[in-house]
Every structure is written in structure tokens, then in C-alpha cells.
Amino acid sequence: MWLAGIFPQGHPNLLAPAMGALKRIAKPAVEAHHGLPVKVPTFVSTDLPDWDLHAFCREHNWRVWLKGPYYDAARTPTWDSFVAARDALAKVWSTDRLFLQAHVTGYEESVMLAAYRGELLDCVSMRKRDITPEGKTWAGDIAPVQPEFGEPLRAMVRELDWTGGGELEMVRDASGELWLLEMNPRFPAWVHGATIAGHNLPALLVEAAAGVPARKSQAQASEFTRVVLEVPVREDYPLPPLAEPLAGAVGHSMKHPSGLTSLAERLHKSNPELIELVEDMSEGADGAPQLPDSFLHDIGGYDLAAVQTPQFLYLDSTAGTLFERASQRARRLSSNEVQVVSGYSIKTNPDERLIRLALDNGFLAEAISLLEVQKALEVGFRPDQVILNGPGKWWPEGMMPKERLHAVFCDSIADLDRCVAAMAAGEMSSRHVGIRLRTPNVVSRFGIPLDSPMTFGKLVDAVARLPEDSAFGVHFHMASSNIGVAQWWHLFESMLKWCESIERLTGRTIEILDMGGGWFPDDWHAADDDRFARAVERVKAALPGVRQIVSEPGKAMAQPSMAVAMRILEIQEHEDDYVEAVVDGSIAELPMFAFQPHRILRQCADTGALQPLGRGKTHLMGRLCMEHDIVASNVALPDGTRAGDVLIFCDAGGYDRSMSYVFGRG
Ligand SMILES: *Cc1c(COP(=O)(O)O)cnc(C)c1O
């Protein structure tokens, strides 16, 4: 890039591509790839609002890569790892132009090429056979490039007027489809591996440029591997001391010993146009999130000037609408044979207003302790509208209602035996008694395991001990917000298969199927009825005895229903537009900061208008004296923001509310 910046049209002594070619292979779109039999994995710019980036991660099962414009890619399987990697990559490469790309599972292969003034001199294909922990090639096999690939490649090289080496990095998925990860304007590190197999591409390049014929290279093998070799060091060229590790650095300062990161920084400063090479994917977006009108309406109803901050704000019409919509959907999906119903997960937010909304909208109440059962009964639920779940369902002792509950799901075989004994003694009664299954293949500490013949045998024996006068049922719960939406549906299918086996082996009919909660609000409310209707049909077909399908939304209902108001205490401006602002809220009021973004509004002190915060270089730091108390990163405070202004963190009505704690208040 640097050389191309100096010689935009190329230079006779420079065996490297010119600016025009570099622009057309810029990551991530690699515009020049059209014509090659490859696809580019789906990606988004990190200029999008955090809210949308989180949705992208969920959609792609958290199998995503955060990539910079030049080198480096980080897998970010969780929200906090994404936020940390974004900070690190932006700093190391001196650019905010990063992107998130969906992972493609498969085997990695590459094509290396050499070209001179648009003529393809040779190309060769390599499959990685062994890799380093960073995914770099350690061993590989070399093969000729197939004509279906080679012919369009030749056309592409001509069109780009390419000079120099090049590498197309790809993944071949299980169906044989090729995915282009990137095209690098240089020979890859395994270049010598190919010469071992008879393809000396650098020699052909020099031959074309110099007109001096290269010596013919001999193929010694079609595979190569690296070895590590220790060599003596000459006394007159002693080793330098080991670079001093920076305090707290996570390897990044050491990872590019060639000084490339310093070069990137200097190039950006000396020639800001160079960064133009890097695709601007923002399309003018400022990273400000979309907010439902009801948020603005409900927040607008508060006299924020009078609010003691930090303070949770209940969003009345928002909460009402969420429960209404869920109840309407349940009605639409229900039929005479199978009823579809929701159970509100009390632990997610035990606020009485939400429990009452659940009651008024035909929900069941889902409790994981007897105190929660108590709370549901106090708000007005009948015992036969309560589902009791979880490993701690006997706590606190002595509070189990004597009346018939709607459903009880046993979390372990010990729990099942205790329930059986209690029911025999008349200490507990339930219309449905079932088991919670431990999800196979997705790690979970809950439920009865079934993934070995022996544990499955124990489960089948235990089910045989359940009383015949209660209907039988199965429950599973795994948060799709963590494992991703597609993977959740995959789990659902696999659970149906396990349920069929359980029915066959125990002779008991499953009458209630409870699919748990764990839905991110947008995934639950935005999904069309179709997806759920198909799921109902799948249940009917696989388990014809099921009379009721239950889901247990917690955060899908509660999370949007509250916001936290905070005040800015102080604004500190640093060089290069970096801003640090301290607020009177903290992670004690937003304990979910590591798991999900929050859409943030600022109330303009002059007009009272609510303005969403977009993308920028401001970090909002909580009031606590704790290093990790950063409530938002990479946001921009609107012009004119001053100390004393109120910020509203939306999406805080789920576990932020229920798990918030008292800290630093004397
Ligand atoms: C916590 C919990 C839920 C609700 O989970 P959310 O992530 O809040 O939707 C549902 N069912 C059971 C058994 C739970 O433990």
C-alpha cells in the first residue's frame, strides 16, 4: 500500500500491484472476485450500532470474526470479547474501519499466483494439512489449480493488470462450496513449500521481469511441512535482548515484531488518503440505534430533571404492548388439539407490575423457588397456573403449596425421587410432572443427562417411577441469545428426536412440552409467526400426544420494559478526539454490560429532546472505583453535552434490574 501510494501507476522495478488493483481486492468485499467460483462470507461494518452488531452475532450463532483492514482477525464468541477485541484492533491498526464476518466451517485452502503486467505466469493450489494455533500453515499439500478456477483467475489478473505475487485464502465447506476470506497482494509464507512441489513462482516473476530464463524447478514431493531448526549464532552478531512486554498487553504488542503496526500508524498520519484504500462500508451511518417509538413515549412521560439518578424507569406502555403481543401470538398458534402458552419467568424480573401483566395476558407463572411461587400467588395467580422448575425448587423449606400446581419439572434424578416421594406423601401435587433434559452437545449444568447409553438408561428407569395420575412432560432450556438462533432451532429438532425415543422406551406419552426461555427480545418479537407455526407442526408430527406447548420468556418480556437514568458527572477530553465521561450510574445498575449492548439516549438540557448516541470515541465510565466499570465504549456524546445532562440506558429491564446490586453507597 505504501509503495502503491508513492507509485500509483506502478514502477518498472517494482514487482507489486498498483493502486487500482489494490483497491479492487480490499477486504472484506474483494470486489474483483466476481467471475471466480467463490462466495464471500456475509459481513457487516462495525460502524453499525452495537445493537445491530449483537443481532448479527446471534444470527450467526456467535461464530464470527472481527477483522481489521490489513492483518489480524479475532474470533469473538461473546459480547465482551467482541468489545475488547474491537478496542485492541482499532488501537493496534490505527483505524476504526473494522468489520464482523460470519465464520464458515470447513477446510482452508489457498491459491498462490504470480503475474507480470496482467499475464498470469503460474498458479498453484494448497490445502492446509497442519496449522499453528493462530491458524497459519504449518504443512500442506500442493496441487495444480483446476481449469474452472484457473481460467477466471487468468481473466481477473488481466483485468487487474496485476504484477507480483498474490494469494487467495479460502475455506471449502462441507458441500464443496468455496468461500473467499481474502486476497493478499503478496506471496504467502508457504511460497517455498510450493517450490518443493515444482512451482517456483518467484523465479517465474523474476524471469518475466528480467528476461533471464529461470532454472527449471524439480518436484521433490507434493506435500511439505515445516520444521523448527536451531542454528548457532555468530559471536559478532549477538542476539538483541527480548522486547520488554508492556504491562497488561495481551500479546498484541509482541505479535507484529516486524513493526507493521507502527508503519500503519505512520502511514495514516502522513498520508490520510491511503486509508481510502480501505473500503468505507458505513454508508453515512453514524451508528445511532433505532429505538421503538414507545421507548421515547414512555421516557418522555418522566420529569427527568426531578429523577434522582441512577434510577430505573419503568416503561409502562412498552411493557404492556410486549405482553399483549405475546398473548396474541400464543392465541394465533393455538388450536383445538394443541394449546400454545407462555409462562413468565419470574426470576428475570420479579417486579409486580410485570407479573400482573403476565396474569392479565393469559400467561402461566414460571418459578424456580418457592419464594417465587409465593410471589406469583400474592399477585393473583392460582396454584394451577404455576410451573415449578430448576434445581432449587424445594427452597425455602416448608413453603411447597399443597394445592395442585400446573407443572413440575425435575432437574435431576435425585430431584425426581424427592418429588415422587412428596407426591406419594400428599405433600405436593401437580397436573403435569416431567423432566428437564440436559442439552446434549451444548454444555449445561441443568437437567437429566442423556448422552450416554448408561445415563439414558437411568433416565428411562426414573421416568417409570413417576406417578401415573399426573400427565408426563419434557422441558429443556438453552438461551438462544448465547448459542445463536440457528443453533437453537437445531437443538429444538434434536430434542424432538430425544423425546420420541423417551416416549418409545418409557411407554409414557409426552403431554406437555416446555421449551424454556432465553430469547433475546428482538429475536422473539421480530420473528414472524411462520417460524413458530412450523415448530408447532413439527411437535404435532413428532409427538402426537402433546396437548400443550409452553415457552418461558423472561428477558424477551422484561428487558425492554425498563431503562436506567444516569447523570454525567464529568467530561474529560483527550488527544485524538478521545473522550472519557464519568456517570453516576455504574455496572452495579447494568450488570449485563458484558453480555449485551444498551441503546443510549441523551436528554438535551436545552430542548428536552431525546437523542440516541451514535458511534464515536467516547467511553462512559461508571462511578465505581473498579477498572472494569465502563458502561459503554465507542459512543459519541451529542454536541453540547455537559456535566449534569441525563443519559438513559434502555434495554435494562431484564437481568440488569434483577441482578443489580448496592455498591459504593456507604
Ligand atoms: C431463567 C429461566 C427462563 C427465562 O430465561 P430468559 O433468558 O430470561 O428468557 C425460563 N425458564 C427457566 C427454567 C429459567 O431458568
Side-chain angles (χ1 to χ4, degrees):
M1 280 177 64
W2 176 40
L3 290 171
I6 295 168
F7 304 108
Q9 310 305 328
H11 185 280
N13 294 351
L14 196 57
L15 298 180
M19 198 53 119
L22 286 184
K23 277 193 177 153
R24 298 192 50 212
I25 62 150
K27 286 200 274 184
V30 196
E31 180 201 318
H33 84 274
H34 299 288
L36 292 177
V38 296
K39 286 191 194 162
V40 171
T42 172
F43 60 85
V44 289
S45 157
T46 56
D47 285 329
L48 290 186
D50 280 2
W51 193 254
D52 300 12
L53 297 175
H54 194 266
F56 183 85
C57 294
R58 298 195 307 275
E59 187 187 342
H60 296 285
N61 300 321
W62 290 96
R63 294 186 189 132
V64 293
W65 292 88
L66 179 64
K67 296 184 177 178
Y70 318 111
Y71 297 87
D72 264 356
R75 260 193 105 152
T76 57
T78 58
W79 182 246
D80 58 334
S81 64
F82 166 77
V83 172
R86 175 172 64 187
D87 244 15
L89 276 188
K91 277 205 191 90
V92 167
W93 294 105
S94 313
T95 174
D96 293 319
R97 290 198 178 164
L98 309 178
F99 60 96
L100 254 181
Q101 191 162 41
H103 175 75
V104 178
T105 303
Y107 289 108
E108 285 179 59
E109 56 184 72
S110 288
V111 166
M112 169 170 57
L113 64 95
Y116 187 67
R117 297 190 173 166
E119 275 313 308
L120 184 67
L121 303 170
D122 192 12
C123 57
V124 64
S125 178
M126 188 275 298
R127 290 186 304 180
K128 295 187 185 183
R129 301 291 296 274
D130 200 4
I131 53 175
T132 68
E134 295 86 30
K136 308 278 177 212
T137 306
W138 192 258
D141 60 34
I142 299 286
V145 173
Q146 296 304 309
E148 320 69 284
F149 196 99
E151 284 318 310
L153 182 64
R154 186 175 296 281
M156 177 179 131
V157 161
R158 191 164 296 144
E159 212 179 283
L160 292 173
D161 197 20
W162 194 270
T163 289
E167 182 194 19
L168 293 117
E169 288 192 79
M170 297 169 288
V171 170
R172 192 180 290 278
D173 70 17
S175 64
E177 185 101 54
L178 270 180
W179 296 83
L180 180 63
L181 303 183
E182 56 191 71
M183 178 168 177
N184 299 318
R186 55 187 151 78
F187 286 120
W190 52 270
V191 58
H192 181 58
T195 66
I196 290 172
H199 295 268
N200 188 341
L201 270 56
L204 294 179
L205 184 57
V206 172
E207 177 183 273
V212 181
R215 206 184 302 154
K216 238 176 142 44
S217 44
Q218 291 291 326
Q220 302 169 48
S222 62
E223 298 186 339
F224 66 89
T225 185
R226 293 186 180 165
V227 291
V228 176
L229 197 64
E230 271 105 25
V231 298
V233 172
R234 285 170 55 158
E235 250 170 65
D236 44 345
Y237 288 109
L239 302 172
L242 187 61
E244 227 172 289
L246 293 177
V250 273
H252 250 294
S253 60
M254 313 284 294
K255 222 176 123 184
H256 296 280
S258 57
L260 265 182
T261 60
S262 321
L263 181 61
E265 190 187 345
R266 283 175 66 159
L267 287 181
H268 288 184
K269 286 205 173 124
S270 68
N271 184 359
E273 276 115 68
L274 262 192
I275 189 74
E276 295 305 316
L277 257 186
V278 178
E279 201 177 352
D280 181 5
M281 295 177 288
S282 62
E283 290 167 1
D286 60 357
Q290 291 284 328
L291 285 124
D293 291 338
S294 78
F295 281 23
L296 300 174
H297 173 266
D298 289 342
I299 295 165
Y302 281 92
D303 176 9
L304 293 174
V307 167
Q308 279 282 335
T309 50
Q311 178 73 54
F312 280 94
L313 308 175
Y314 178 66
L315 309 187
D316 192 55
S317 79
T318 301
T321 310
L322 290 167
F323 278 92
E324 258 163 53
R325 266 201 271 155
S327 114
Q328 284 163 3
R329 171 185 279 163
R331 240 173 296 138
R332 281 196 301 273
L333 294 172
S334 293
S335 61
N336 287 336
E337 314 96 80
V338 179
Q339 190 202 9
V340 175
V341 67
S342 298
Y344 177 61
S345 157
I346 294 172
K347 73 157 190 290
T348 308
N349 185 340
D351 190 292
E352 254 177 58
R353 290 167 289 194
L354 296 174
I355 301 178
R356 194 171 307 281
L357 277 176
L359 177 63
D360 294 345
N361 284 285
F363 278 50
L364 300 166
E366 191 265 325
I368 57 157
S369 74
L370 297 177
L371 284 173
E372 286 190 357
V373 172
Q374 199 63 40
K375 177 94 172 236
L377 300 181
E378 276 162 20
V379 173
F381 276 96
R382 298 187 314 265
D384 67 358
Q385 293 173 306
V386 172
I387 300 175
L388 185 56
N389 243 325
K393 61 174 63 66
W394 293 91
W395 175 84
E397 215 170 319
M399 285 182 69
M400 182 66 76
K402 294 281 183 297
E403 298 91 342
R404 197 151 230 232
L405 300 174
H406 181 68
V408 172
F409 292 100
C410 306
D411 206 69
S412 64
I413 289 180
D415 184 20
L416 180 142
D417 286 331
R418 182 163 181 186
C419 289
V420 169
M423 285 184 286
E427 290 160 10
M428 173 183 166
S429 159
S430 180
R431 185 165 160 220
H432 304 92
V433 181
I435 50 173
R436 174 167 177 170
L437 297 183
R438 180 169 297 186
T439 49
N441 300 322
V442 188
V443 177
S444 170
R445 57 163 276 210
F446 298 105
I448 304 178
L450 42 59
D451 49 6
S452 82
M454 190 152 88
T455 53
F456 195 43
K458 283 190 188 157
L459 177 148
V460 170
D461 293 344
V463 169
R465 299 196 285 277
L466 287 174
E468 295 281 349
D469 57 353
S470 294
F472 177 56
V474 164
H475 167 62
F476 71 94
H477 170 98
M478 177 51 66
S480 69
S481 55
N482 295 344
I483 65 167
V485 175
Q487 203 173 278
W488 190 90
W489 284 111
H490 188 76
L491 177 69
F492 166 77
E493 288 294 330
S494 128
M495 279 299 172
L496 290 184
K497 294 270 187 304
W498 283 105
C499 286
E500 287 179 280
S501 304
I502 290 170
E503 280 196 335
R504 222 169 300 135
L505 292 168
T506 61
R508 300 264 338 228
T509 303
I510 296 173
E511 295 184 41
I512 183 172
L513 180 69
D514 181 341
M515 315 201 290
W519 292 81
F520 201 80
D522 291 6
D523 296 339
W524 167 274
H525 295 284
D528 48 24
D529 276 9
D530 240 36
R531 188 67 197 83
F532 292 102
R534 262 184 291 148
V536 171
E537 290 311 310
R538 286 286 300 122
V539 174
K540 281 188 194 165
L543 306 167
V546 166
R547 292 286 157 268
Q548 193 176 52
I549 301 174
V550 186
S551 55
E552 301 175 336
K555 58 179 175 273
M557 298 298 136
Q559 187 179 298
S561 75
M562 291 187 183
V564 189
M566 305 181 184
R567 274 200 176 76
I568 297 178
L569 296 175
E570 202 166 83
I571 299 177
Q572 172 72 56
E573 292 180 11
H574 296 278
E575 55 272 23
D576 296 334
D577 306 333
Y578 282 101
V579 176
E580 294 180 332
V582 182
V583 293
D584 63 4
S586 71
I587 57 169
E589 290 80 32
L590 281 178
M592 297 307 287
F593 75 101
F595 299 92
Q596 61 158 94
H598 297 83
R599 290 173 286 189
I600 310 169
L601 294 161
R602 172 233 182 194
Q603 186 181 42
C604 176
D606 300 326
T607 66
L610 294 168
Q611 310 158 305
L613 265 55
R615 171 84 53 234
K617 290 186 171 181
T618 299
H619 289 250
L620 295 176
M621 304 183 301
R623 65 169 194 278
L624 305 178
C625 268
M626 301 185 77
E627 289 292 356
H628 61 290
D629 185 18
I630 298 172
V631 289
S633 321
N634 295 103
V635 293
L637 291 171
D639 285 341
T641 303
R642 301 184 288 262
D645 285 0
V646 175
L647 297 179
I648 317 285
F649 282 66
C650 299
D651 313 295
Y655 296 101
D656 284 313
R657 178 70 198 91
S658 54
M659 294 166 70
S660 61
Y661 47 93
V662 175
F663 191 79
R665 288 168 180 262

